[in-house]
Amino acid sequence: MTKCGHVGFAGVPNVGKSSLLNRLVGTHLAIVSPKAQATRIPTVGLLTEGDTQMVLYDLPGLLEPSYLMQERMRHLAEERLGKVDVILYLHPAPEAPAPDFQSVARLETPARAPVLTVYTKGDMVPEARRMELTRNAFVVSSETGDGIPAVLARVRELLPEAPFEFDPDDVGTQPLRFFVVEYLREAAFELLGEELPYSFTAEVEEFREQKRPVYIRVNLYVERESQKGIVIGRDGSVLKAVGTAVRDQLPPGAFIELFVKVDKDWQRRPRSVERLGY
Ligand SMILES: Nc1nc2c(ncn2[C@@H]2O[C@H](COP(=O)(O)OP(=O)(O)O)[C@@H](O)[C@H]2O)c(=O)[nH]1
Ligand SMILES: [Mg+2]
């Protein structure tokens, strides 16, 4: 009998949830940024090894929401944590010990799934400290891969016996158009400074996979008129860089057209947040 189950990655922003997901699936699936709160919608990764399939959820960081968009992100994370079989509670090793999970997560209904504390960024602490932390928790590094087999072995023990839910060769479950938006957002985090990425989102308006080359038309949204010029850049230079960063991650030859629009204060308006898929 095979084992198959769902695993949620929980923790505050920037602890390395998305990096761990990518390391586990062996490809750049979830967007990663040194800036906090890049993840908005959970990215789903699949890890199938031998008789075991893990469905991994990279969740938005748990934090106290201060506006509508953050409320949505928190809701998506909480909802998923209520459904998974195992929760990996991630906390950076340099900031060990981790506070108690419930005091960080403040879930309305405490999770019923077992919670494993996993210290991330293990490469950033000395070997002696790693050994010390390993006595009561797991320590991993998404840079080196250290410590990951031990976590997976424990997760496997906790998963139910069940048939695989997905093709063992797949690494993800979400459609390409989801990743187009994610990679555009990742480029925004890289190219658009400290604040603007949080006001930024993208909406795929047209996606013709049947056509060769694949044609993708995307609207990029910012919250204020003044931000529009920044996204476009002098002579369109910034917009061009954003487009290139994304094209590099799409099937070769994909043709992507970007339009910049203002949707005033979209992160605070229910209709916009919903229309933009959050
Ligand atoms: N040195 C080191 N840096 C890491 C590791 N994992 C993540 N990071 C860095 O920590 C930052 C936040 O990572 P990210 O995965 O986006 O965190 P998330 O917000 O929890 O999803 C990024 O700059 C990563 O490159 C690791 O294992 N070692
Ligand atoms: Mg993330």
Side-chain angles (χ1 to χ4, degrees):
M1 187 62 182
T2 56
K3 289 191 137 197
C4 181
H6 296 232
V7 183
F9 294 6
V12 296
N14 238 354
V15 296
K17 298 178 292 297
S18 300
S19 302
L20 183 60
L21 182 91
N22 291 342
R23 179 80 197 199
L24 289 175
V25 301
T27 181
H28 176 70
L29 207 59
I31 68 171
V32 170
S33 170
K35 295 163 196 166
Q37 284 187 67
T39 306
R40 282 178 181 158
I41 290 184
T43 302
V44 188
L46 299 174
L47 179 63
T48 309
E49 266 176 5
D51 66 351
T52 306
Q53 180 166 77
M54 298 180 192
V55 185
L56 310 164
Y57 293 86
D58 173 27
L59 302 175
L62 294 166
L63 80 176
E64 284 306 312
S66 49
Y67 50 89
L68 181 67
M69 182 63 199
Q70 289 185 337
E71 272 171 39
R72 287 295 304 152
M73 289 161 62
R74 172 144 191 124
H75 176 76
L76 289 173
E78 274 211 37
E79 187 178 50
R80 183 50 61 188
L81 288 176
K83 290 183 190 161
V84 295
D85 300 296
V86 182
I87 294 171
L88 300 185
Y89 167 38
L90 273 49
H91 189 84
E95 292 159 38
D100 166 65
F101 177 64
Q102 181 55 23
S103 75
V104 170
R106 307 231 197 123
L107 303 176
E108 267 170 43
T109 11
R112 55 170 184 85
V115 178
L116 306 182
T117 300
V118 177
Y119 289 110
T120 53
K121 312 189 189 187
D123 55 288
M124 293 176 73
V125 297
E127 171 73 21
R129 180 65 174 145
R130 259 198 317 272
M131 299 305 281
E132 204 180 340
L133 292 172
T134 307
R135 267 186 246 134
N136 304 307
F138 296 95
V139 185
V140 301
S141 166
S142 300
E143 293 282 321
T144 65
D146 261 12
I148 289 178
V151 178
L152 293 181
R154 180 64 187 132
V155 170
R156 186 185 172 282
E157 289 174 358
L158 296 168
L159 293 185
E161 289 195 344
F164 288 174
E165 290 176 38
F166 297 95
D167 186 324
D169 293 329
D170 287 353
V171 294
T173 66
Q174 288 147 313
L176 191 56
R177 51 194 301 155
F178 168 81
F179 292 104
V180 169
V181 173
E182 290 298 286
Y183 296 143
L184 281 163
R185 293 186 42 245
E186 185 171 54
F189 272 97
E190 265 168 54
L191 300 165
L192 298 179
E194 293 298 318
E195 302 298 328
L196 211 156
Y198 298 104
S199 292
F200 178 95
T201 194
E203 177 184 43
V204 175
E205 193 149 81
E206 202 177 332
F207 195 116
R208 273 184 273 164
E209 270 183 285
Q210 274 60 298
K211 255 181 99 159
R212 284 291 171 275
V214 173
Y215 173 77
I216 308 167
R217 185 153 57 99
V218 186
N219 290 330
L220 305 180
Y221 288 102
V222 289
E223 296 196 283
R224 290 187 294 280
E225 200 58 46
S226 60
Q227 295 174 326
K228 206 170 148 177
I230 304 174
V231 173
I232 295 169
R234 189 186 287 253
D235 298 328
S237 58
V238 175
L239 193 58
K240 198 166 163 222
V242 168
T244 304
V246 174
R247 206 163 15 245
D248 287 349
Q249 305 193 55
L250 297 178
F255 185 72
I256 181 164
E257 254 191 311
L258 305 174
F259 298 90
V260 185
K261 302 192 171 181
V262 179
D263 185 354
K264 200 165 166 350
D265 294 327
W266 69 264
Q267 295 204 80
R268 293 165 197 276
R269 293 191 299 113
R271 278 185 56 195
S272 296
V273 166
E274 205 168 300
R275 185 177 54 81
L276 292 165
Y278 297 114

